[in-house]
Amino acid sequence: MPSHFYAPTKQDKFAFGIWCLQNRGRDPFGDQTRPELSALECIRGLAQRNCYGFEFHDNDIIPFEADAKQKKQILSDVKKALGDWGIKATMATTNLFYHPLFKDGAFSSTDPAIRLFATQKVMNALDVAAELGTQVFVFWGGREGVEVDASKDPVEATLWFREAINFLCEYVIANDYDIKFSIEPKPNEPRGDLYLPTVGSVLAFIATLDHPDMCGINPETAHIKMAGLNPYHEFAQALDAGKLLDVHLNGQKPLRFDQDLSFGSDDLKDAFFTTKLLVDHKYAGTIGFDAHPYRSEADPWDFVDRNMRTYKIMQEKVRQFNDNKEIQDLLKDIHGANPNLRGLLTKFSKDQAKKLKEMTFDVPALTARRLPYERLDQLLTELLLGVL
Amino acid sequence: MPSHFYAPTKQDKFAFGIWCLQNRGRDPFGDQTRPELSALECIRGLAQRNCYGFEFHDNDIIPFEADAKQKKQILSDVKKALGDWGIKATMATTNLFYHPLFKDGAFSSTDPAIRLFATQKVMNALDVAAELGTQVFVFWGGREGVEVDASKDPVEATLWFREAINFLCEYVIANDYDIKFSIEPKPNEPRGDLYLPTVGSVLAFIATLDHPDMCGINPETAHIKMAGLNPYHEFAQALDAGKLLDVHLNGQKPLRFDQDLSFGSDDLKDAFFTTKLLVDHKYAGTIGFDAHPYRSEADPWDFVDRNMRTYKIMQEKVRQFNDNKEIQDLLKDIHGANPNLRGLLTKFSKDQAKKLKEMTFDVPALTARRLPYERLDQLLTELLLGVL
Amino acid sequence: MPSHFYAPTKQDKFAFGIWCLQNRGRDPFGDQTRPELSALECIRGLAQRNCYGFEFHDNDIIPFEADAKQKKQILSDVKKALGDWGIKATMATTNLFYHPLFKDGAFSSTDPAIRLFATQKVMNALDVAAELGTQVFVFWGGREGVEVDASKDPVEATLWFREAINFLCEYVIANDYDIKFSIEPKPNEPRGDLYLPTVGSVLAFIATLDHPDMCGINPETAHIKMAGLNPYHEFAQALDAGKLLDVHLNGQKPLRFDQDLSFGSDDLKDAFFTTKLLVDHKYAGTIGFDAHPYRSEADPWDFVDRNMRTYKIMQEKVRQFNDNKEIQDLLKDIHGANPNLRGLLTKFSKDQAKKLKEMTFDVPALTARRLPYERLDQLLTELLLGVL
Amino acid sequence: MPSHFYAPTKQDKFAFGIWCLQNRGRDPFGDQTRPELSALECIRGLAQRNCYGFEFHDNDIIPFEADAKQKKQILSDVKKALGDWGIKATMATTNLFYHPLFKDGAFSSTDPAIRLFATQKVMNALDVAAELGTQVFVFWGGREGVEVDASKDPVEATLWFREAINFLCEYVIANDYDIKFSIEPKPNEPRGDLYLPTVGSVLAFIATLDHPDMCGINPETAHIKMAGLNPYHEFAQALDAGKLLDVHLNGQKPLRFDQDLSFGSDDLKDAFFTTKLLVDHKYAGTIGFDAHPYRSEADPWDFVDRNMRTYKIMQEKVRQFNDNKEIQDLLKDIHGANPNLRGLLTKFSKDQAKKLKEMTFDVPALTARRLPYERLDQLLTELLLGVL
């Protein structure tokens, strides 16, 4: 393949969080290593690289302390940029974690004033999102959790969280905004344990909301791997539930601090299967990246390029996998047993149950079936390594 | 407290899996270290220790190869034992993992014959459960997962899993059995990655079933800690969703092989909070233990005693926590801020939204509120250590 | 016990890192939540609480940019404080991680100028340590590691690291300083993977130095648990090797971001066994705490108090364990088998080997020995819970 | 490349544990799934595939209960096979973990009779190894550890372990065997925590032995990843210490049960860097694989083939990396700063120290140096994916 084969186009629907590009390299043990780019610089750089969209927290573009006039000016500048540069604001969210006010939670704070302040902040951010034409609005509960479990009952905390989301759904309806909510799980960091730690917990939480149809999920590779779970399976459950509204792709060594590495930089197989899921199931949302450059980088652009490039390489690998004769023959064989017995569980009837109750099975034969998974996995390995 | 203060009574509703007591000390690197007790020996021993109930897999009491006559005799013996010894069969389940037939899954096998065989096996186990008066029927998908993600699409595998559970719900309805289903999550082991790895994923899966009301969850401490998650929070989400049908208490060092240690033997604080949740929210189900004696034990009885005893000690600690003046004063203070602002998010109206939009907040004051969590956590620590 | 039974005294030899008290609550997702205390405020507060000592990085007391005159003044102030307040500077170290200069390592930087700058910075810090009478000088290689393994060969990086330590040992000798080096391992964070990740790796590294006798180890509970290892075992190997020069006690949920929780706040059993090791083996160094208050605390003093208090409670628990008749009887039984066969491996001779070769063993009897570990562990559990 | 480019040859020095091929698919939750091959079948199969060697436990070829005559016959058959089939017995070890006798340790058992029995068993295994010309003799302490820390002092347990190894070193010397010892670390499983959990802990332990020169280390990829550590770094420390006697390559998802997956099947980047270390540093030992086929495989041969094949593909990737102009230019740049300042720490003198003390550094310039690690890592990623 010529190298430009993997160059991004608008059709790829790539998007980056502005905060990823604004990341200054600060960490718990070290100072800033590079200057913070302005939001407009980030947006322009992404547009120049054929990115479809950008994602933002309210405070990525509008400072916490900005007054109404400043806010208006900033929004006007951003809207002009969208038009001039041909890029969309694909996802918006609220920063409910940076300010010390939120030190013990926003929606799950024990102080009802803080819960109200957080809700108000989201309402304002929703107004901004609507003005910029953003249709996906994310909740990541970065401070919704505890170190000290004695401090609050998780059932009560969940109730407060639910109340806020329900209220905000109504606000969107009342304003007739064309916006869906997307909740992003994470198991821990910055809090000792965060509420809604996993994809499943978010999906289950949504099922308890007043307007589940307005809510989906925004799974992130790294957050999944921080609990040692399998991103392919976790993204799949979201998709199966019809809730895969948005994705945050990146990389992470399992079960350690949140690294936010580039997509595919740690685990090529995970990256392949995540891509395969999105391709096979015709996921139509944006391909969002939520990661940041290594602290040793001077600017974010090599980082931006590589995430998109790796995704496109993986798309091509998926195509090869789906076209490879030996792989597909193996899969046909693996999935081809007893075709006449398919579908017998689809619909229950007493007769069907009786029939099943009386069926006899050739246990030794069922046990003996060959499952050439070492071979299959090796074919994939060699396909990934480009030597098949 | 005199030592017998912590002796179990029927009112405690304790239950043990028979398989826990039958465990022979076999592991991947070592041979059996103790004889396997018969099911009846296990049941008698539990009854003698004032256990309320026992839990069982079909093959814990009826061998895989048993014929109809043998099965009938066994069931008759067990029923007699229940009556004679005053113990209940509180939970039943199906072994869909031990036989090599299930090497690549039961409900998620690529072979429809194996999916049918598994379903038939569950139907038979349901008949047994109904006969023994068992009202909770558990599904633990010990082989529902993969090592080789290339082998099947997790969306398709979930679909097969759902189809089987839906079919079996109908079977229970059709037979008018007084049985609820309870699904038990686990992240990995024996498969590389298991489907339905977490409490959240099970709750989310239930929400997609035909009869969600018939289904609950059976969370297990160790399985939660194998994903590094917080048992207090995970049990709480199940409870909040109204799905905490059954519990499996035990102990586990996080993020390693499934140790199935005694409850509280690894982490006293986790044990305290799990107990606190069940007490505070008046959980009324059985207190089931799913663990096994150390491989170096000669018999299971010290193990049985300690699990119940630790739970009762923790119940007493919860009582002390809820009665302790300094702790409760701290909690009142922590939860007492801005009482006039409570409940404003409970019901949405355009007016309410407008009012909230226009509220002003004293950000520095909200930020400055003291949260004496080091003190609170130390009080709990000293209460646990018995020196408060 | 009356509560003051656990009040700290100078004889307890407690020490805290100044940086722990100066911690401002900043984290990767959030801003500062409390003011930074001056070094002198920290030292005074510790002295008032009967702390034996404090520990410090060069830049905790002397700013990175301080000139010679400022430095002199500061040192003079600190020395006066030591005398006036009756507290010692028990441990010193160099901050080789905060400044962006060190973004890709100090001693393991690919740039020899940075390696030299780091070495010079340590030489200056050694001069300060000597002036303050500090006898333990710690190296924690917070930036010695990588995210991108392609960037440097770990064998070469280790060689640079060793060269610097060897050079600095000579510097101590040449200056006749009464100082020993102590190296502190950590597996990851802030770098993706740190060199010298474990207690064992530090001990092994010391064995390759020019002056191993000048070097010991400073193990930290949290860093051990970040690799899922057992602090009791890790501290024990350091002690067995004669290298346990210093300790950093704290708490941590295993296998996640560096939490630096209070000692015993997460795992009471780990805290007990760490204390037991130090007590049983008559460890004579300082009991150093390296943790920080929860981000939600307004000041560090509740945090300071609880760490010392928990350690003293654990000391008392160890005394109870060593005095408890049932526990000690069990241990005598467990350790009492075949006393006549003890010591036969202590000294090799051909005769001894021949004799052993010809010995016969009663395998069934050896296999059948009872090991009542469930009972023993439960006794410890109840002792910890104060109900034994 | 034509596919046979990656076919194994004797020069590759590949070796497999016989136990890997004999693995029957038994696991804690499931029964045997395939027949156990005889040792001779395994050896023949490996020889036919151009394997250089095989590795074995005493009881892989000689049953625990075999008498002297049976043992003699078996050894004679194996020796004949070595000659006939042109394969070596490259590594031997003793099974000190399977028999229930070892349930609480072999060398670290509290029973001196068991310690002696274990030592005798190793002496016999050493005689067998010597007879078969095996030069590397491994110790993996599969039962040397605890679940119940109250049961023994890890310092005392380490002392017993050391005593046994010292005794056995003398035995080798006394018998003039051409054998070196190699110790294999593992953090946990089957015991709750194993002694000597990491590469570093083994290297540190060796430094305390009477004959450190006779002892090296046998690191295993999976065991390293079970503690979340970096195999490249861990293998490197062994190599740097001159102790990398033997290697056990395989694959593993971090921080879960011991999976023993095929080399490279989980993490291609880890596999690449492990290979790179061995190639770059001209490691001359055998390339041993210690893994086992998926439980769903009917026989081990696809598994055997893929491990060797992936290693050879990685060797070729290392060659490409070392030849790639863009990568090598970047590395030259990264390592090329301030060449005149190299080597100044190699030898200490008071003059040199004075000179360094007085050096001035351009801190802003050192800070500003560009480190294009995103680009470098992406080049490696694309090289691995075969699209560079």
Side-chain angles (χ1 to χ4, degrees), chain A residues 101 103-104 110-111 120 124 127 149 151 153 162 171 193 200-201 230 233 237 240 281 335 338 356-357 359 366-367 369 373, chain B residues 101 103-104 110-111 120 124 127 149 151 153 162 171 193 200-201 230 233 237 240 281 335 338 356-357 359 366-367 369 373:
Chain A
L101 167 77
K103 63 190 170 192
D104 191 35
T110 51
D111 184 343
Q120 187 197 65
N124 290 329
D127 298 345
D149 270 320
S151 67
D153 182 329
R162 183 184 300 121
Y171 180 77
D193 288 293
S201 65
N230 184 324
H233 296 197
Q237 190 175 12
D240 170 70
H281 292 273
H335 287 261
N338 296 303
L356 174 50
K357 212 60 177 298
M359 275 178 79
L366 293 179
T367 304
R369 190 161 74 106
Y373 288 169
Chain B
L101 167 78
K103 64 191 172 190
D104 191 36
T110 51
D111 184 343
Q120 187 198 63
N124 290 328
D127 298 346
D149 270 321
S151 67
D153 182 330
R162 184 185 297 120
Y171 180 76
D193 289 293
S201 64
N230 184 325
H233 295 198
Q237 190 173 14
D240 170 71
H281 292 273
H335 287 262
N338 297 302
L356 173 52
K357 212 59 180 296
M359 276 177 79
L366 293 179
T367 304
R369 190 159 76 104
Y373 288 169

XYZ file of all heavy atoms in Angstrom, chain A residues 101 103-104 110-111 120 124 127 149 151 153 162 171 193 200-201 230 233 237 240 281 335 338 356-357 359 366-367 369 373, chain B residues 101 103-104 110-111 120 124 127 149 151 153 162 171 193 200-201 230 233 237 240 281 335 338 356-357 359 366-367 369 373:
508
model
N -14.056 22.982 44.096
C -15.451 22.879 44.506
C -15.986 21.458 44.382
O -16.801 21.002 45.184
C -16.256 23.802 43.566
C -17.765 23.730 43.515
C -18.362 24.420 44.725
C -18.297 24.386 42.227
N -14.421 18.714 44.813
C -13.458 17.766 45.399
C -14.112 16.489 45.916
O -13.492 15.440 45.943
C -12.629 18.437 46.489
C -13.420 18.914 47.684
C -12.577 19.803 48.628
C -13.490 20.450 49.669
N -12.850 21.514 50.438
N -15.377 16.555 46.327
C -16.049 15.323 46.770
C -17.271 14.993 45.912
O -18.248 14.409 46.403
C -16.435 15.421 48.249
C -16.873 14.056 48.790
O -16.295 13.041 48.358
O -17.791 14.010 49.631
N -22.319 15.420 48.774
C -23.274 15.413 49.885
C -23.937 16.778 50.063
O -24.921 16.893 50.789
C -22.570 15.052 51.211
O -21.428 15.910 51.355
C -22.136 13.605 51.232
N -23.407 17.783 49.407
C -23.950 19.139 49.536
C -24.920 19.412 48.374
O -24.507 19.469 47.210
C -22.778 20.131 49.507
C -23.239 21.568 49.737
O -24.448 21.851 49.609
O -22.370 22.410 50.043
N -26.610 23.244 37.039
C -26.664 24.527 36.337
C -25.539 24.639 35.306
O -25.732 25.099 34.180
C -26.546 25.667 37.356
C -26.753 27.044 36.760
C -26.232 28.138 37.686
O -25.031 28.211 37.936
N -27.142 28.974 38.177
N -25.952 25.219 31.211
C -25.248 26.217 30.404
C -24.431 25.567 29.297
O -24.374 26.059 28.167
C -24.336 27.066 31.297
C -25.152 27.982 32.195
O -26.238 28.431 31.830
N -24.635 28.248 33.396
N -26.627 24.577 26.484
C -26.984 25.708 25.628
C -25.879 25.971 24.601
O -26.142 26.221 23.425
C -27.201 26.968 26.478
C -28.364 26.815 27.470
O -29.174 25.870 27.307
O -28.437 27.627 28.411
N -15.445 5.094 52.111
C -16.790 4.556 51.920
C -17.705 4.869 53.102
O -18.931 4.825 52.958
C -16.725 3.044 51.675
C -16.594 2.722 50.194
O -17.257 3.403 49.390
O -15.836 1.817 49.840
N -18.254 7.659 54.159
C -18.795 9.011 54.012
C -20.168 9.070 53.358
O -20.925 9.998 53.588
C -17.823 9.883 53.213
O -17.728 9.431 51.879
N -23.509 6.555 51.360
C -24.092 5.296 50.919
C -24.138 5.311 49.392
O -24.709 6.228 48.784
C -25.518 5.221 51.493
C -26.235 3.920 51.139
O -25.967 3.357 50.068
O -27.071 3.495 51.943
N -28.818 9.988 39.489
C -29.951 9.707 38.598
C -30.889 10.915 38.503
O -31.344 11.289 37.416
C -30.709 8.481 39.110
C -31.873 8.065 38.208
C -32.658 6.901 38.804
N -31.797 5.749 38.984
C -31.550 5.148 40.144
N -32.123 5.584 41.259
N -30.751 4.107 40.209
N -34.640 18.935 30.643
C -34.198 20.246 30.169
C -33.967 20.218 28.652
O -34.340 21.158 27.933
C -32.917 20.650 30.912
C -32.374 21.997 30.502
C -32.964 23.182 30.958
C -31.272 22.099 29.655
C -32.464 24.426 30.584
C -30.764 23.335 29.276
C -31.364 24.500 29.741
O -30.877 25.725 29.372
N -12.384 5.004 44.154
C -13.310 4.210 43.337
C -14.363 5.149 42.782
O -14.957 5.935 43.535
C -14.008 3.121 44.184
C -13.057 2.002 44.568
O -12.611 1.274 43.668
O -12.759 1.872 45.767
N -20.917 -2.024 31.604
C -22.137 -2.646 32.092
C -22.847 -1.782 33.116
O -24.078 -1.637 33.082
N -22.090 -1.192 34.040
C -22.734 -0.393 35.087
C -23.431 0.817 34.481
O -24.502 1.213 34.955
C -21.718 0.013 36.156
O -20.743 0.857 35.617
N -12.021 -6.700 28.660
C -11.739 -6.848 27.239
C -12.518 -5.793 26.435
O -13.764 -5.861 26.369
C -12.156 -8.265 26.825
C -11.841 -8.582 25.391
O -11.936 -7.721 24.517
N -11.469 -9.825 25.133
N -15.248 -7.001 23.997
C -16.474 -7.474 24.638
C -17.282 -6.319 25.213
O -18.516 -6.326 25.152
C -16.143 -8.476 25.749
C -15.503 -9.742 25.271
N -15.433 -10.874 26.031
C -14.911 -10.063 24.095
C -14.833 -11.836 25.350
N -14.495 -11.358 24.178
N -21.087 -5.182 24.153
C -22.322 -5.170 24.952
C -23.065 -3.842 24.757
O -24.301 -3.818 24.687
C -22.061 -5.429 26.447
C -23.399 -5.664 27.179
C -23.289 -6.054 28.629
O -22.247 -5.968 29.245
N -24.406 -6.503 29.200
N -24.744 -4.167 21.391
C -25.867 -5.105 21.486
C -27.080 -4.442 22.148
O -28.224 -4.723 21.788
C -25.430 -6.335 22.299
C -26.590 -7.255 22.649
O -27.114 -7.891 21.731
O -26.969 -7.297 23.831
N -20.233 -4.205 12.449
C -21.589 -3.830 12.844
C -21.998 -2.454 12.322
O -22.973 -1.878 12.782
C -21.740 -3.933 14.363
C -21.683 -5.342 14.853
N -22.797 -6.135 14.921
C -20.638 -6.126 15.227
C -22.449 -7.346 15.351
N -21.139 -7.367 15.542
N -18.237 -22.636 12.771
C -19.638 -22.242 12.953
C -20.625 -23.150 12.204
O -21.826 -22.880 12.223
C -19.849 -20.782 12.516
C -19.267 -19.806 13.478
N -20.011 -19.155 14.421
C -17.995 -19.395 13.680
C -19.227 -18.364 15.148
N -17.996 -18.488 14.720
N -23.907 -28.902 12.932
C -25.340 -29.163 13.154
C -26.270 -28.039 12.712
O -27.076 -27.526 13.501
C -25.559 -29.438 14.661
C -24.842 -30.699 15.112
O -25.076 -31.775 14.577
N -23.925 -30.555 16.061
N -37.468 -30.767 23.042
C -36.083 -30.587 23.505
C -35.807 -31.505 24.692
O -34.747 -32.136 24.775
C -35.844 -29.119 23.895
C -34.497 -28.796 24.534
C -33.326 -29.343 23.727
C -34.331 -27.282 24.699
N -36.763 -31.609 25.596
C -36.606 -32.455 26.779
C -36.291 -33.900 26.374
O -35.544 -34.607 27.049
C -37.930 -32.407 27.569
C -37.888 -32.531 29.065
C -37.117 -31.506 29.789
C -37.173 -31.658 31.292
N -38.514 -31.532 31.867
N -34.947 -34.888 23.385
C -33.838 -35.065 22.435
C -32.710 -35.858 23.088
O -32.477 -35.765 24.288
C -33.279 -33.694 22.012
C -34.040 -33.050 20.864
S -33.358 -31.395 20.456
C -31.913 -31.884 19.482
N -20.078 -34.736 20.415
C -20.070 -33.288 20.679
C -18.776 -32.878 21.375
O -18.222 -31.803 21.114
C -21.272 -32.896 21.547
C -22.654 -33.046 20.914
C -23.747 -32.651 21.897
C -22.767 -32.201 19.640
N -18.291 -33.742 22.262
C -17.057 -33.463 23.002
C -15.843 -33.479 22.087
O -14.896 -32.709 22.275
C -16.877 -34.527 24.112
O -18.042 -34.521 24.941
C -15.661 -34.234 24.963
N -15.478 -32.712 18.955
C -15.336 -31.781 17.827
C -14.037 -30.982 17.921
O -13.686 -30.440 18.959
C -16.518 -30.805 17.806
C -16.546 -29.985 16.523
C -17.911 -29.386 16.282
N -18.187 -28.274 17.155
C -18.180 -26.997 16.732
N -17.921 -26.715 15.459
N -18.459 -26.033 17.552
N -8.252 -23.522 17.280
C -8.106 -22.119 17.659
C -6.658 -21.648 17.691
O -6.390 -20.465 17.496
C -8.777 -21.880 19.016
C -10.291 -21.916 18.976
C -11.025 -21.938 20.155
C -10.998 -21.909 17.767
C -12.418 -21.947 20.142
C -12.388 -21.931 17.749
C -13.088 -21.941 18.936
O -14.463 -21.955 18.918
N -17.294 -31.486 27.053
C -18.287 -31.068 26.058
C -18.430 -29.541 26.001
O -18.661 -28.950 24.948
C -19.623 -31.696 26.482
C -20.912 -31.236 25.849
C -21.052 -31.865 24.480
C -22.120 -31.647 26.697
N -16.215 -27.300 26.510
C -14.896 -26.663 26.462
C -14.918 -25.300 25.785
O -14.103 -24.451 26.104
C -13.872 -27.601 25.809
C -14.148 -27.928 24.353
C -13.243 -29.086 23.854
C -13.688 -29.494 22.464
N -13.057 -30.735 22.005
N -15.830 -25.076 24.840
C -15.905 -23.738 24.221
C -17.261 -23.066 24.470
O -17.756 -22.313 23.631
C -15.603 -23.823 22.726
C -15.399 -22.437 22.134
O -14.820 -21.579 22.841
O -15.806 -22.212 20.977
N -20.434 -22.376 19.633
C -20.753 -22.201 18.203
C -21.586 -23.367 17.674
O -22.138 -23.276 16.580
C -19.469 -22.109 17.361
O -18.618 -23.218 17.694
C -18.725 -20.812 17.629
N -21.667 -24.429 18.444
C -22.417 -25.608 17.998
C -23.834 -25.564 18.579
O -24.019 -25.678 19.789
C -21.668 -26.861 18.476
C -22.319 -28.155 17.971
O -23.490 -28.113 17.546
O -21.644 -29.193 18.020
N -31.293 -28.183 27.712
C -31.979 -29.372 28.246
C -31.478 -29.696 29.654
O -32.254 -30.026 30.550
C -31.714 -30.560 27.305
C -32.490 -31.794 27.653
C -31.889 -33.038 27.007
O -30.752 -33.419 27.292
N -32.648 -33.644 26.105
N -33.781 -29.897 33.107
C -33.789 -30.992 34.078
C -33.408 -30.492 35.473
O -33.997 -30.914 36.470
C -32.819 -32.090 33.630
C -33.354 -32.816 32.400
O -34.571 -32.951 32.235
N -32.458 -33.253 31.524
N -36.324 -28.806 37.058
C -37.295 -29.768 37.594
C -36.861 -30.236 38.990
O -37.681 -30.325 39.905
C -37.420 -30.984 36.667
C -37.928 -30.601 35.282
O -38.432 -29.471 35.113
O -37.801 -31.430 34.358
N -10.456 -14.323 20.335
C -11.567 -13.455 19.933
C -11.912 -13.601 18.454
O -13.022 -13.240 18.046
C -11.233 -11.998 20.272
C -11.693 -11.628 21.683
O -12.786 -12.085 22.069
O -10.977 -10.909 22.382
N -12.607 -16.215 17.098
C -13.481 -17.383 16.911
C -14.965 -17.049 16.870
O -15.748 -17.766 16.280
C -13.224 -18.418 17.998
O -13.621 -17.918 19.267
N -18.116 -13.672 17.311
C -18.493 -12.275 17.527
C -19.213 -12.186 18.877
O -20.209 -12.886 19.091
C -19.438 -11.873 16.381
C -19.863 -10.418 16.459
O -19.951 -9.873 17.571
O -20.139 -9.836 15.392
N -28.803 -14.961 25.374
C -30.110 -14.360 25.674
C -31.249 -15.285 25.268
O -32.225 -15.459 26.005
C -30.223 -13.022 24.954
C -31.520 -12.255 25.282
C -31.636 -10.989 24.445
N -30.555 -10.076 24.754
C -29.659 -9.631 23.875
N -29.727 -9.992 22.602
N -28.714 -8.824 24.253
N -39.968 -21.623 30.129
C -40.129 -22.983 30.673
C -40.595 -22.923 32.120
O -41.467 -23.688 32.538
C -38.790 -23.728 30.549
C -38.844 -25.144 31.072
C -39.444 -26.158 30.342
C -38.289 -25.464 32.305
C -39.506 -27.465 30.832
C -38.333 -26.767 32.805
C -38.936 -27.763 32.055
O -39.001 -29.053 32.534
N -11.339 -14.522 28.819
C -12.297 -13.471 29.188
C -13.687 -14.088 29.153
O -14.055 -14.723 28.158
C -12.253 -12.292 28.193
C -10.988 -11.476 28.333
O -10.808 -10.832 29.372
O -10.163 -11.499 27.394
N -22.496 -4.845 36.660
C -23.172 -3.968 35.712
C -23.542 -4.693 34.435
O -24.651 -4.523 33.902
N -22.637 -5.498 33.916
C -22.921 -6.172 32.643
C -24.099 -7.133 32.799
O -24.907 -7.272 31.876
C -21.681 -6.883 32.105
O -21.291 -7.920 32.974
N -14.980 -2.386 43.530
C -15.335 -2.226 44.934
C -16.630 -3.004 45.243
O -17.702 -2.632 44.749
C -15.521 -0.719 45.202
C -15.811 -0.405 46.650
O -16.482 -1.164 47.344
N -15.295 0.718 47.120
N -19.757 -1.008 46.265
C -20.409 -0.274 45.171
C -21.136 -1.224 44.228
O -22.219 -0.915 43.730
C -19.379 0.536 44.393
C -18.738 1.628 45.187
N -18.079 2.679 44.611
C -18.656 1.849 46.513
C -17.612 3.487 45.563
N -17.947 3.000 46.711
N -25.154 -1.308 43.426
C -25.868 -1.072 42.166
C -26.919 -2.153 41.935
O -28.015 -1.860 41.442
C -24.910 -0.971 40.963
C -25.689 -0.469 39.726
C -24.863 -0.169 38.499
O -23.711 -0.536 38.398
N -25.462 0.517 37.536
N -29.782 -1.206 44.217
C -30.481 -0.025 43.684
C -31.389 -0.406 42.520
O -32.472 0.156 42.343
C -29.433 1.009 43.239
C -30.049 2.165 42.464
O -30.740 2.974 43.096
O -29.845 2.233 41.234
N -29.885 -1.762 54.212
C -30.965 -1.813 53.222
C -31.887 -3.016 53.435
O -32.684 -3.345 52.557
C -30.397 -1.776 51.806
C -29.779 -0.455 51.484
N -30.488 0.599 50.988
C -28.521 0.006 51.655
C -29.693 1.649 50.838
N -28.486 1.317 51.234
N -23.426 15.531 55.879
C -24.639 15.486 55.067
C -25.588 16.654 55.341
O -26.677 16.701 54.764
C -25.378 14.151 55.287
C -24.689 12.999 54.634
N -25.055 12.501 53.418
C -23.616 12.270 55.013
C -24.255 11.501 53.079
N -23.370 11.331 54.030
N -26.650 23.007 53.586
C -27.718 23.581 52.763
C -28.994 22.746 52.684
O -29.465 22.401 51.588
C -27.179 23.810 51.331
C -26.044 24.817 51.325
O -26.227 25.958 51.765
N -24.869 24.415 50.859
N -33.357 27.578 38.622
C -32.009 27.038 38.820
C -31.004 27.778 37.937
O -29.901 28.123 38.366
C -31.997 25.527 38.497
C -30.635 24.846 38.500
C -29.860 25.122 39.785
C -30.790 23.326 38.320
N -31.406 28.059 36.714
C -30.528 28.768 35.771
C -30.077 30.098 36.369
O -28.970 30.569 36.119
C -31.329 28.999 34.483
C -30.616 29.013 33.151
C -29.882 27.769 32.796
C -29.208 27.872 31.448
N -30.133 28.030 30.340
N -30.007 30.904 39.682
C -29.419 30.855 41.028
C -27.955 31.298 40.976
O -27.256 31.076 39.992
C -29.458 29.423 41.580
C -30.782 29.048 42.227
S -30.793 27.314 42.783
C -29.855 27.460 44.314
N -18.570 27.234 48.940
C -18.808 25.817 48.626
C -17.493 25.048 48.566
O -17.399 23.889 48.975
C -19.552 25.685 47.289
C -20.995 26.205 47.251
C -21.585 26.035 45.857
C -21.868 25.480 48.279
N -16.474 25.740 48.048
C -15.162 25.105 47.925
C -14.527 24.870 49.282
O -13.821 23.877 49.497
C -14.238 26.008 47.078
O -14.871 26.250 45.823
C -12.879 25.377 46.855
N -15.786 24.205 52.221
C -16.396 23.332 53.215
C -15.431 22.233 53.661
O -14.807 21.568 52.855
C -17.664 22.686 52.646
C -18.468 21.969 53.723
C -19.901 21.785 53.295
N -20.014 20.714 52.334
C -20.501 19.491 52.640
N -20.906 19.223 53.869
N -20.610 18.571 51.713
N -12.605 13.627 56.381
C -12.659 12.211 56.009
C -11.518 11.393 56.608
O -11.664 10.192 56.820
C -12.693 12.068 54.483
C -14.010 12.481 53.856
C -14.125 12.619 52.473
C -15.152 12.697 54.625
C -15.324 12.972 51.882
C -16.358 13.062 54.045
C -16.434 13.198 52.671
O -17.624 13.544 52.082
